[in-house]
Amino acid sequence: MTHIYNFSAGPAVLPKEVLAQAAAEMLDWHGSGMSVMEMSHRGPEFISIYKAAERDLRELLAVPDNYKILFMQGGGLSQNALIPLNLLGHKPDGATIDFIHTGSWSAKSIKEAGKYAKVNTAASSETALPPQAEWRLTPGAAYLHMCTNETIGGVEYQPDFNDPRLKDVTLVADMSSHILSRQIDVSKYGVIFAGAQKNIGPAGVTIVIIRDDLLGKALPICPSAFDFKLVADNDSMYNTPPTYGIYIAGLVFQWLKQQGGVAEMERRAEAKAKLLYDALDASDFYDTRVAPANRSRMNVPFYLKDESRNEAFLAGAKARGLLQLKGHKSVGGMRASIYNAMPIEGVQALVTYLNEFAANAVK
Ligand SMILES: *Cc1c(COP(=O)(O)O)cnc(C)c1O
C-alpha cells in the first residue's frame, strides 16, 4: 500500500498517534461511558481535559502567568474583527492600527480592521519582510498587527525586538500556521492568535493568548460571547466551547511534549524546510518567489517553470500518495505545507518525486 503524505495547508495533517488515541477513546473516554463529544463542558471529565490542554499549551510556549489562554470559536479570520472590537474600547475616536502587510492574510486583516478604526499599512511586500527600519509606524497607534507566517505566499519572520520603537507598542500576531513550530518569547506580544486547523488540531478552535492588562477594553458593541474578558473570566466557558476540538488539541499538546516540545519541533521544521528548499533551489525546473531570509518553514509555495505541466505533476504526486499539493487558487502553482505532524519521510518522498518528475520532463 502506498504511504499517504498529506501536504494540505489546512485543515491539515495530524499526528497518527493522536488520531489513533482519539479513535480508541471515541466511544468511552477513560471509563466514563461517554464520548468526549457527549460530555457536559461543565462536568468534571471535560474540565479535566480542558485544564490539561491549557496547562500543556502554557508549558509548551512558556506562556507567562500574566497571560490568559482562551479557547474560542470563529477561526483566525474572526479575530481580525474581534481584536479591534476588544482592544479599542479605551481609545477615543480616531484610533489608528498599524499593519505589516506581507501577503493575503495580513491583507484580509487590514481590510477587516478598517471597519472599526483607521488603518495604516506601515510596510508592504508579499515576497519578503520589509526592512524594519523602514516601517512607517504611527506614534500612539492602538496596536501593531502582523502575520508572522503567511500561509499562502510563504513569508515567515519574527520581528526584531531590539528595535526601540517596538518597546511601547502592543504587538498583535496572527500565528495560525506556525504556532508551536518555533520558540517565541510570548512576553513580547500583547495578543497572539491562531486558528487550530493548521498546526494544532481540527477546525473550530481558535487559540488566543492575551496579556491580562489588555482585557476589559472592549467596545460596547463587542458581542458578549467574543468579549475576551468575559471569555477569560469564565475559563473559555462563557458559552459552550468547541469541546471535541479542545480535546484533540490537548492530545496534540501531549504528543508535542512527548516529542521534545517546541525546541524539537523547531529543529525538525528547519531540517524539513532545508531539505525541500535545497531541492527546489538545485533544480532549473522549479521556482520559488520568497526571499531566502523569509522563507516559511511551514508552507512552501513553488512553481513549475513550465506551468503547462501542473496537472501532470499533481496527478503523478497523487498516484504516489503525495496529496493536496496544489497551490492556493489566488497564487497558483504548488504548495507543500509541512507542519509539525508531517514526518521528514514525507518531505523526503516529495523531494524524490520532485527530482524524478523534473528528470522525466526534460527527457
Ligand atoms: C488559515 C488562516 C487564517 C484563517 O483561518 P479561519 O479559521 O479560516 O478563519 C488566518 N490567518 C492565517 C495566517 C491562516 O493561515
Side-chain angles (χ1 to χ4, degrees):
M1 203 177 91
T2 317
H3 197 106
I4 297 295
Y5 292 110
N6 175 5
F7 295 94
S8 169
V13 59
L14 286 167
K16 289 275 173 288
E17 297 90 330
V18 165
L19 295 177
Q21 184 176 346
E25 296 176 346
M26 170 65 80
L27 299 183
D28 179 6
W29 183 82
H30 294 200
S32 66
M34 295 180 281
S35 171
V36 174
M37 276 180 250
E38 304 171 303
M39 290 174 182
S40 165
H41 57 296
R42 305 198 188 280
E45 297 90 352
F46 185 74
I47 298 279
S48 74
I49 290 170
Y50 175 85
K51 286 212 151 73
E54 202 269 354
R55 191 184 58 231
D56 287 340
L57 179 57
R58 194 173 280 280
E59 181 184 325
L60 283 161
L61 287 176
V63 178
D65 288 344
N66 62 325
Y67 283 72
K68 299 284 189 204
I69 299 178
L70 315 179
F71 291 83
M72 298 185 69
Q73 309 198 42
L77 276 189
S78 69
Q79 292 299 322
N80 290 334
L82 297 178
I83 289 173
L85 282 166
N86 272 283
L87 297 192
L88 296 182
H90 65 307
K91 287 277 171 187
D93 288 349
T96 298
I97 307 170
D98 280 344
F99 284 86
I100 308 302
H101 167 239
T102 48
S104 317
W105 292 111
S106 44
K108 285 200 167 96
S109 302
I110 294 167
K111 192 163 173 228
E112 186 75 9
K115 295 182 179 180
Y116 304 100
K118 283 202 293 264
V119 291
N120 168 50
T121 302
S124 177
S125 164
E126 299 211 345
T127 52
L129 179 68
Q132 203 158 317
E134 294 168 16
W135 294 2
R136 297 171 303 274
L137 299 177
T138 308
Y143 59 90
L144 169 61
H145 178 121
M146 49 182 64
C147 174
T148 46
N149 187 62
E150 288 277 1
T151 319
I152 293 174
V155 171
E156 181 176 12
Y157 62 93
Q158 277 194 314
D160 174 8
F161 289 109
N162 293 321
D163 179 350
R165 297 183 305 164
L166 291 193
K167 289 276 183 295
D168 304 319
V169 173
T170 297
L171 204 57
V172 171
D174 177 355
M175 298 192 185
S176 292
S177 50
H178 73 159
I179 193 165
L180 293 162
S181 74
R182 65 191 297 168
Q183 292 169 287
I184 53 166
D185 181 350
V186 173
S187 74
K188 303 288 192 207
Y189 298 86
V191 185
I192 293 168
F193 69 91
Q197 72 272 26
K198 313 291 168 56
N199 223 356
I200 292 179
V205 182
T206 313
I207 304 286
V208 176
I209 302 172
I210 180 166
R211 205 176 59 228
D212 55 15
D213 65 283
L214 296 171
L215 297 168
K217 299 184 193 301
L219 290 167
I221 56 163
C222 180
S224 305
F226 294 106
D227 181 322
F228 290 162
K229 182 162 191 330
L230 277 178
V231 177
D233 287 349
N234 290 280
D235 292 329
S236 303
M237 300 197 198
Y238 176 74
N239 68 329
T240 314
T243 51
Y244 198 76
I246 292 170
Y247 158 69
I248 300 287
L251 295 184
V252 171
F253 300 152
Q254 288 170 20
W255 179 83
L256 287 170
K257 285 173 59 178
Q258 285 156 11
Q259 300 294 309
V262 175
E264 174 63 12
M265 288 302 122
E266 181 164 353
R267 193 191 64 71
R268 291 185 196 175
E270 281 168 2
K272 287 184 282 181
K274 182 173 187 321
L275 190 62
L276 186 47
Y277 285 114
D278 281 354
L280 293 165
D281 288 345
S283 166
D284 292 334
F285 192 80
Y286 304 101
D287 236 351
T288 61
R289 297 182 182 169
V290 175
N294 299 124
R295 283 173 161 177
S296 171
R297 293 128 350 118
M298 293 284 109
N299 309 99
V300 181
F302 61 95
Y303 295 84
L304 276 59
K305 285 186 183 160
D306 176 1
E307 299 227 289
S308 73
R309 296 181 191 271
N310 281 0
E311 290 309 315
F313 178 89
L314 288 167
K318 192 170 180 197
R320 289 173 174 235
L322 307 174
L323 305 186
Q324 310 209 60
L325 282 164
K326 192 173 180 165
H328 191 269
K329 59 184 186 301
S330 64
V331 293
M334 307 296 156
R335 172 175 51 174
S337 295
I338 49 175
Y339 296 119
N340 284 342
M342 172 60 66
I344 191 142
E345 291 79 10
V347 181
Q348 284 161 346
L350 175 58
V351 165
T352 301
Y353 176 63
L354 288 172
N355 291 334
E356 284 180 18
F357 188 84
N360 288 334
V362 296
K363 265 186 204 147

